[in-house]
Amino acid sequence: EPEVTQTPSHQVTQMGQEVILRCVPISNHLYFYWYRQILGQKVEFLVSFYNNEISEKSEIFDDQFSVERPDGSNFTLKIRSTKLEDSAMYFCASSAFPGQGTDTQYFGPGTRLTVL
Amino acid sequence: DAKTTQPNSMESNEEEPVHLPCNHSTISGTDYIHWYRQLPSQGPEYVIHGLTSNVNNRMASLAIAEDRKSSTLILHRATLRDAAVYYCILRFYNQGGKLIFGQGTELSVKP
């Protein structure tokens, strides 16, 4: 069964450093997402991406964050200058049918980001 | 997005059925009811969705009240692997995009 993959599984970084989290969505999917989950809290939407541009972003997704689909398979989340409060699990997801309430999102296993 | 209400936690015994309730009294006629779950240390996973009729798939069944103000996710025989947080999420019929997760119901399964 196709699956979303994410690398690395765990990233440790120093405050102020840039990090890039990588995702490979399911190959025929068109809609891509990033979510995050701070330890013990609920899953929060960050950004959605369709047709090579951001479709929607949350208040969390400020100028320190950016997303990119650099080639036909990868989808990346960059945090330019990490803060302690960016420590969280980051989940990538993809779906096949944008714009429909029936679409199913498939999530990756997550990258645990620890900012020291 | 219409709001959903779920119990914070539930317990079940292994191999017994589990009924996970969700209230969504402000649901609109075109909102789909989706269920996802999150196993420990994993990403969320789609379980099932429906609109008006009851739905079955290999993972679970979804029973939707006639007035659609509530629904119940049914696991027919809980296993230890079903211990997870279960989320009930409403989605407008022509709206893809973000999923809005609440706190969900944490299901524990006892052997």
Side-chain angles (χ1 to χ4, degrees):
Chain A
E1 187 171 324
E3 58 181 18
V4 176
T5 59
Q6 292 186 240
T7 54
S9 57
H10 191 187
Q11 174 91 47
V12 181
T13 189
Q14 297 289 326
M15 190 169 56
Q17 294 297 303
E18 175 183 286
V19 293
I20 297 176
L21 309 183
R22 291 183 167 78
C23 168
V24 179
I26 293 172
S27 62
N28 63 344
H29 282 187
L30 302 174
Y31 219 111
F32 314 114
Y33 313 82
W34 284 100
Y35 294 82
R36 80 171 186 190
Q37 186 173 32
I38 295 170
L39 186 65
Q41 298 187 23
K42 59 185 180 182
V43 178
E44 299 175 288
F45 167 76
L46 291 179
V47 66
S48 58
F49 190 87
Y50 171 63
N51 202 24
N52 283 319
E53 59 183 25
I54 290 174
S55 300
E56 187 177 4
K57 59 183 181 180
S58 72
E59 292 177 352
I60 303 167
F61 194 89
D62 62 21
D63 292 344
Q64 293 300 312
F65 292 87
S66 62
V67 289
E68 191 179 28
R69 188 152 162 83
D71 52 43
S73 59
N74 290 284
F75 180 51
T76 62
L77 174 69
K78 181 193 291 186
I79 309 175
R80 289 189 184 82
S81 178
T82 50
K83 307 183 187 71
L84 295 176
E85 55 265 36
D86 293 328
S87 295
M89 281 290 286
Y90 287 81
F91 296 107
C92 174
S94 68
S95 66
F97 304 111
Q100 295 184 22
T102 55
D103 81 325
T104 297
Q105 292 188 20
Y106 295 83
F107 285 77
T111 293
R112 178 172 299 284
L113 177 65
T114 302
V115 182
L116 303 176
Chain B
D1 296 286
K3 187 174 169 57
T4 63
T5 305
Q6 298 178 252
N8 288 334
S9 62
M10 291 184 65
E11 274 191 357
S12 171
N13 294 318
E14 195 176 14
E15 299 193 3
E16 290 185 358
V18 183
H19 290 232
L20 296 161
C22 180
N23 287 319
H24 28 78
S25 58
T26 59
I27 191 170
S28 75
T30 46
D31 280 334
Y32 280 86
I33 302 159
H34 286 250
W35 285 80
Y36 282 73
R37 72 179 184 180
Q38 187 175 20
L39 301 172
S41 302
Q42 295 190 28
E45 173 187 35
Y46 167 79
V47 178
I48 201 167
H49 75 272
L51 184 62
T52 56
S53 305
N54 294 344
V55 184
N56 300 298
N57 66 19
R58 63 177 178 82
M59 290 180 71
S61 295
L62 176 60
I64 301 172
E66 200 169 329
D67 63 5
R68 299 205 336 120
K69 292 184 187 300
S70 65
S71 60
T72 303
L73 180 71
I74 303 166
L75 307 179
H76 294 286
R77 287 185 67 198
T79 68
L80 297 178
R81 198 193 170 277
D82 291 321
V85 180
Y86 287 79
Y87 302 98
C88 170
I89 300 171
L90 301 184
R91 306 193 73 197
F92 191 56
Y93 82 104
N94 71 348
Q95 179 186 43
K98 66 185 178 190
L99 291 169
I100 300 175
F101 289 85
Q103 296 294 345
T105 296
E106 184 171 9
L107 175 67
S108 56
V109 181
K110 296 186 289 185

